[in-house]
Amino acid sequence: MNVRRLIPSTAVAGAVVLGLTALSACSTSDAADGGNGDKLKVTASFYPMQFLAEKIGGEHVAVTSLTKPGVEPHDLELTPRQIGSISESDYVLYLKGIQPAVDDAIKQSGVKNTVDAATLTTLENHGSEVSGHDHGKEGDEHGHESEGAHEEHSEGDGHNHGEEGGADPHIWLDPVKYAEVAKGVGTSLEKADPDHAADYQKNTDALVAELGELNTAYETGLKNTATKTFITTHSAFGYLAERYGLTQQGIAGIDPEAEPSPARIQEIHTIAEKEKATTVFFETLASDKTATTLAKDTGLRTGVLDPLEGITDKSRGADYIEVMESNLAALQKALGAK
C-alpha cells in the first residue's frame, strides 16, 4: 500500500489512518518530499505519543516508537542504538514520569524540539479511592516536574490526597486531556516544521473533533449505571474515573504485575459487596493471574480494560480510538449501564 508519496495535502486527514504502517516503516531517504526536503524524523516514547505524532504529522513525518508493541512501557530499557536514534531525531515526543530510562536519554540527547506531553495539560494526584494505594510511590520513582503538576485541584478535590510527588501521568486515558495534549503537539509541530503548518493544524483539528466525539460517547454511555465503582489490577484510570464520575479501585497500585496484600484483597471484597461491583479488570500487556485469583476469591467476573500503553494482536481495536470504544463497552457492561 504505497500511498504515502502521492497524497495531496487535502487528503491528509483521511490518509493518516491508511498510511500509519507505511509511514512508520518508511525511511526518510526514500520519502524525499519534492523540494521540501525529507520527512521530519519523529521519535515517540510509547504508543499514546506515537498515535498523536502519526495522526497530526500525517504524510510529513516518519515516526519511530521507542517502545515495541507488547512491551510494558514502565519497564523499558533502551539499547545504545535507540539512545543514538533519539539524538538523530528532528522532534521527540514523550511523557515524563512514565519511563525513567526515556526521560534520562532525552535529557542527554541535545535535541532542540523535545516536547513533554505532561506540560501540555495539568497533572493531578489521584488518591487511594481513585487510583490504588501505591500510586504515590510512582511519582517518587519517576520525576514529575511538569508545569501544572499541582494545579487544577478544584474539580477533583475529593481525589487529591496530597501525596507529594504522586502526580498521575496517565492523561491519555481521558479524551479531554488527550485533546489538550493533541493541540499542544500540533502547535509544536507547526513550529518545528513551519512549511507544513497548515496541514498540521488541519490534522490537529480533525483529531480533536474525533476525541470530542469519544468524550461525548463516554459521557452518554456512562451517565446511568447501576454502580459507579470498578476494580482494576492497574491503577491507570484515575483521570477517566474522575472525568465521568466513576470510582476506580486499584488492587495493587501503579505496577500492573504487583501482588496485592491479603488485607487489600479483603478490602476489595468488602468494597465490591458494598458498591455492587461486578468485575475485576486486567489489561492486555500484563498477566491476568491477580485478577483471576481475586475474582475467584470474591465471586466477581473478570474483564479487559486496556490502559492503551501499546497496541498488539490482542488489543481490542486497531488504534487508540477503537480500543477506547472497546473500553467504554467493557465499562458499560461491568457498571450495568442502562
Side-chain angles (χ1 to χ4, degrees), residues 16-140:
V16 170
V17 179
L18 290 173
L20 288 190
T21 327
L23 283 170
S24 52
C26 148
S27 76
T28 49
S29 58
D30 97 78
D33 183 355
N36 295 332
D38 291 343
K39 295 193 179 198
L40 200 70
K41 280 191 276 194
V42 175
T43 297
S45 56
F46 72 132
Y47 178 71
M49 302 298 104
Q50 176 190 347
F51 179 76
L52 291 179
E54 287 174 336
K55 289 285 272 189
I56 296 168
E59 62 177 357
H60 303 304
V61 298
V63 182
T64 305
S65 177
L66 294 172
T67 310
K68 291 185 173 61
V71 173
E72 166 57 52
H74 298 276
D75 305 334
L76 182 71
E77 297 295 334
L78 295 176
T79 64
R81 186 174 173 184
Q82 285 179 304
I83 292 168
S85 77
I86 295 173
S87 303
E88 290 161 19
S89 306
D90 299 315
Y91 178 99
V92 179
L93 179 61
Y94 73 115
L95 178 56
K96 193 170 184 178
I98 285 279
Q99 299 167 290
V102 173
D103 296 351
D104 292 343
I106 288 168
K107 202 186 294 176
Q108 291 158 25
S109 70
V111 176
K112 186 177 75 160
N113 294 305
T114 59
V115 177
D116 171 11
T119 65
L120 303 176
T121 183
T122 44
L123 269 66
E124 297 167 22
N125 293 352
H126 287 127
S128 58
E129 87 276 17
V130 176
S131 283
H133 286 315
D134 298 331
H135 223 350
K137 80 174 196 279
E138 184 199 28
D140 300 332

Side-chain angles (χ1 to χ4, degrees), residues 225-243:
T225 55
T227 179
K228 295 292 182 192
T229 299
F230 64 97
I231 299 164
T232 173
T233 55
H234 184 181
S235 299
F237 300 92
Y239 290 108
L240 186 150
E242 192 169 309
R243 177 70 57 196

Side-chain angles (χ1 to χ4, degrees), residues 100-291:
V102 173
D103 296 351
D104 292 343
I106 288 168
K107 202 186 294 176
Q108 291 158 25
S109 70
V111 176
K112 186 177 75 160
N113 294 305
T114 59
V115 177
D116 171 11
T119 65
L120 303 176
T121 183
T122 44
L123 269 66
E124 297 167 22
N125 293 352
H126 287 127
S128 58
E129 87 276 17
V130 176
S131 283
H133 286 315
D134 298 331
H135 223 350
K137 80 174 196 279
E138 184 199 28
D140 300 332
E141 293 165 9
H142 309 332
H144 66 282
E145 310 111 22
S146 63
E147 298 162 22
H150 302 292
E151 295 165 17
E152 199 189 289
H153 291 307
S154 56
E155 67 171 279
D157 278 343
H159 301 316
N160 296 305
H161 297 301
E163 299 166 305
E164 203 47 42
D168 179 356
H170 296 88
I171 45 179
W172 66 93
L173 291 164
D174 172 354
V176 177
K177 283 194 175 293
Y178 199 45
E180 287 173 8
V181 174
K183 288 177 189 171
V185 170
T187 303
S188 64
L189 278 171
E190 287 170 45
K191 285 182 188 154
D193 182 17
D195 289 351
H196 301 115
D199 284 348
Y200 295 142
Q201 177 67 62
K202 192 167 63 198
N203 293 346
T204 302
D205 291 346
L207 178 56
V208 167
E210 219 176 338
L211 293 170
E213 287 170 16
L214 184 66
N215 174 49
T216 303
Y218 266 79
E219 278 181 340
T220 311
L222 298 172
K223 193 170 282 180
N224 298 309
T225 55
T227 179
K228 295 292 182 192
T229 299
F230 64 97
I231 299 164
T232 173
T233 55
H234 184 181
S235 299
F237 300 92
Y239 290 108
L240 186 150
E242 192 169 309
R243 177 70 57 196
Y244 304 111
L246 307 176
T247 299
Q248 166 182 252
Q249 287 290 349
I251 296 171
I254 190 61
D255 181 356
E257 304 285 358
E259 291 290 325
S261 66
R264 181 60 177 158
I265 288 176
Q266 183 53 50
E267 198 178 357
I268 291 284
H269 187 94
T270 306
I271 289 163
E273 283 187 343
K274 182 169 166 245
E275 302 296 337
K276 298 183 173 53
T278 64
T279 306
V280 181
F281 285 115
F282 61 96
E283 60 169 285
T284 43
L285 292 186
S287 162
D288 64 351
K289 192 175 67 172
T290 302

Side-chain angles (χ1 to χ4, degrees), residues 306-325:
D306 193 331
L308 263 158
E309 293 177 347
I311 295 279
T312 69
D313 296 343
K314 293 180 183 172
S315 298
R316 301 187 174 189
D319 67 5
Y320 172 87
I321 301 288
E322 288 185 8
V323 175
M324 283 293 281
E325 288 168 347

